[in-house]
Amino acid sequence: MSLFSIQGLTKRFGSLAATNGVSVEIEREGILSIIGPNGAGKTTFFNLVTGLLKPDAGKIIYQGKDITGQKPYEIIRHGLSRSFQVVSLFEELSVLDNVRVGVQRNLGFMNRLFLNYRRAAEVTERAMEILDLIGLADQADQPAAAIPHGDRKILDLGLALTTKPQSLLLDEPMAGLSKAERTRITQLIKELSLTHKIIVVEHDMDVVFGISDFILVLHHGSVLALGEPKDIAANEEVQSAYLGLEVH
Ligand SMILES: Nc1ncnc2c1ncn2[C@@H]1O[C@H](COP(=O)(O)OP(=O)(O)O)[C@@H](O)[C@H]1O
Ligand SMILES: [Mg+2]
């Protein structure tokens, strides 16, 4: 059984089909990158799969379960989590507290005014584990507003981990980052891929061809190709649609 079986997935905004009959099987193993020009429908695809948008047609089967049209909090319970192209943090809260809020929410005691001591300690411990994992433990006490852009992207990735997902969908985790920061996130993604299914939207072709086991190419909301990097690089349709200018 595939991890994802996506059938005829369609989302229209007025007359534009941002996702246009996408059918794709995504296997359990390996890092999958999704590429395609701006406006190809990559973020819309993530929004559909994670329940932020409802499809107009089609089905999303995850681990054999039909999750089509479910709400984000329901989909999170199936083990799917995501990071965002545009990072949104609680700016005045510390790095640690941003993660604590995420952990707390997912343990289901967000609405309780008082956490008992044991619970509070549990939340902090789990949050620190995540900061250790993503390499931000040193910055735990910094206000989120004070940390560099690369660390913000990493923190957002850490927030996606608070739901204990099996699958992580990362939307342009390296956008706007320096070479050094990209290298750091690439390394983190590789580490996380040992324990999580990673699906990543990325524009940096060096990164994409460096880390991917499979590449899905979207174009005008449709699947142009899905295959191993060497096949995608050699695919003439992909080259003329998209890669020509970027891969030498
Ligand atoms: N909420 C929306 N309302 C109207 N049009 C949208 C909306 N979200 C995306 N679009 C359009 O759908 C197309 C695909 O967008 P998007 O999925 O963000 O592409 P990508 O992430 O590949 O750059 C674009 O033409 C975009 O303008
Ligand atoms: Mg996008």
Side-chain angles (χ1 to χ4, degrees):
M1 187 177 47
S2 309
L3 185 67
F4 279 99
S5 176
I6 307 229
Q7 301 153 13
L9 195 64
T10 298
K11 178 70 194 179
R12 292 183 202 96
F13 296 112
S15 60
L16 172 85
T19 303
N20 192 6
V22 167
S23 294
V24 64
E25 300 289 320
I26 298 175
E27 303 304 328
R28 255 156 227 284
E29 303 304 318
I31 297 179
L32 172 72
S33 292
I34 301 181
I35 64 171
N38 275 327
K42 304 178 299 294
T43 296
T44 302
F45 179 76
F46 271 10
N47 288 341
L48 291 168
V49 167
T50 55
L52 288 179
L53 286 174
K54 278 202 174 195
D56 294 308
K59 269 198 193 314
I60 305 164
I61 313 290
Y62 178 66
Q63 313 222 67
K65 294 189 206 86
D66 188 345
I67 61 167
T68 318
Q70 289 191 358
K71 299 262 175 352
Y73 70 86
E74 295 172 296
I75 289 180
I76 280 171
R77 288 192 197 133
H78 294 293
L80 260 166
S81 190
R82 71 174 292 173
S83 71
F84 286 89
Q85 189 170 348
V86 179
V87 175
S88 155
L89 303 168
F90 293 109
E91 299 294 340
E92 309 81 42
L93 292 189
S94 69
V95 166
L96 175 62
D97 283 343
N98 269 274
V99 182
R100 290 180 85 246
V101 169
V103 171
Q104 208 163 303
R105 185 185 285 147
N106 290 297
L107 287 176
F109 22 91
M110 191 59 181
N111 296 328
R112 295 202 203 151
L113 209 44
F114 301 103
L115 285 175
N116 70 38
Y117 176 78
R118 193 176 61 79
R119 281 289 170 87
E122 206 179 297
V123 169
T124 304
E125 194 181 323
R126 174 70 191 136
M128 278 312 296
E129 273 171 26
I130 290 173
L131 289 183
D132 278 331
L133 181 68
I134 62 177
L136 287 186
D138 288 356
Q139 317 242 48
D141 297 329
Q142 293 284 321
I147 64 174
H149 184 57
D151 289 343
R152 293 173 66 83
K153 297 289 273 187
I154 288 181
L155 179 54
D156 186 50
L157 212 155
L159 295 180
L161 292 172
T162 59
T163 64
K164 297 198 172 168
Q166 289 107 44
S167 299
L168 263 178
L169 279 57
L170 308 175
D171 196 356
E172 301 201 21
M174 304 181 214
L177 299 191
S178 70
K179 184 92 182 93
E181 289 171 323
R182 287 205 300 265
T183 304
R184 205 170 131 217
I185 296 203
T186 303
Q187 193 49 42
L188 178 59
I189 289 174
K190 281 189 191 160
E191 280 168 31
L192 290 171
S193 76
L194 301 175
T195 44
H196 301 74
K197 173 70 184 188
I198 305 283
I199 304 180
V200 57
V201 169
E202 188 46 52
H203 281 297
D204 182 329
M205 288 301 139
D206 291 335
V207 171
V208 167
F209 282 86
I211 65 172
S212 306
D213 297 292
F214 301 99
I215 298 174
L216 171 65
V217 188
L218 293 180
H219 192 45
H220 297 312
S222 300
V223 175
L224 190 64
L226 169 65
E228 294 180 18
K230 61 176 169 34
D231 299 325
I232 295 300
N235 182 314
E236 282 176 15
E237 244 184 313
V238 173
Q239 283 173 3
S240 63
Y242 178 55
L243 293 174
L245 298 174
E246 312 198 28
V247 172
H248 333 281

